[in-house]
Amino acid sequence: MATSTGSFLDGRIVTAALPLAVGDVLVLALLLSFGTARHNGVAYLTENPVGLALTLLPFLVGWVVAAPLVGAYSAGAAESAKAAIPLAIRSWVVADVIGIVLRVALPFDSNGPLMGRLVPLAVFFGVTLVVGVVGLSVWRWLYFKLR
């Protein structure tokens, strides 16, 4: 008898979705890097690689946790944009929440105490949510259109 964890993930991750996984991570890293450069200047990306990594890491961890659980790399996701895009959107909602929580709970966020920052944090969540949804949707649509 297979373990419940093994059988659960076996149905949620297929090798045919590997190009989607690579593209998803690249798109998210690119979009988050763009946002970082927008707020800190382009030079920040090369002059402070640790800062950039600490910006990307919570959201990429969120993606690595959420995407397989939601099914972003399941057999259905590998077959059509009609299935792949909604799965990516649902995965990003969860991943974005995880990323925001990690930024606040762990030393990724150097903006001081949480109190008094709830409105900016909510705006940040909204912006990362919308940018991620649009970026992942466009990427996956293009993938299926061009393959």
Side-chain angles (χ1 to χ4, degrees):
M1 184 167 122
T3 64
S4 61
T5 304
S7 61
F8 176 77
L9 289 179
D10 286 344
R12 300 237 177 244
I13 301 172
V14 297
T15 56
L18 181 61
L20 289 176
V22 171
D24 291 344
V25 170
L26 290 174
V27 164
L28 291 172
L30 180 69
L31 292 172
L32 292 164
S33 296
F34 178 78
T36 302
R38 173 84 171 85
H39 290 284
N40 300 300
V42 176
Y44 180 87
L45 301 179
T46 56
E47 293 171 0
N48 192 354
V50 172
L52 176 61
L54 291 177
T55 300
L56 301 178
L57 190 61
F59 295 100
L60 295 179
V61 166
W63 183 256
V64 167
V65 169
L69 294 177
V70 174
Y73 305 120
S74 63
E79 293 174 6
S80 72
K82 186 176 180 179
I85 292 170
L87 287 167
I89 292 170
R90 287 193 293 262
S91 297
W92 181 244
V93 171
V94 176
D96 195 26
V97 170
I98 292 169
I100 295 292
V101 168
L102 287 175
R103 279 184 57 89
V104 171
L106 299 175
F108 294 111
D109 191 357
S110 62
N111 292 324
L114 175 62
M115 300 314 283
R117 294 190 304 117
L118 291 179
V119 171
L121 194 60
V123 170
F124 181 58
F125 171 75
V127 169
T128 56
L129 182 66
V130 170
V131 168
V133 163
V134 171
L136 289 167
S137 297
V138 168
W139 144 244
R140 284 183 171 219
W141 179 82
L142 283 171
Y143 172 77
F144 285 101
K145 193 73 170 168
L146 300 174
R147 81 174 181 158

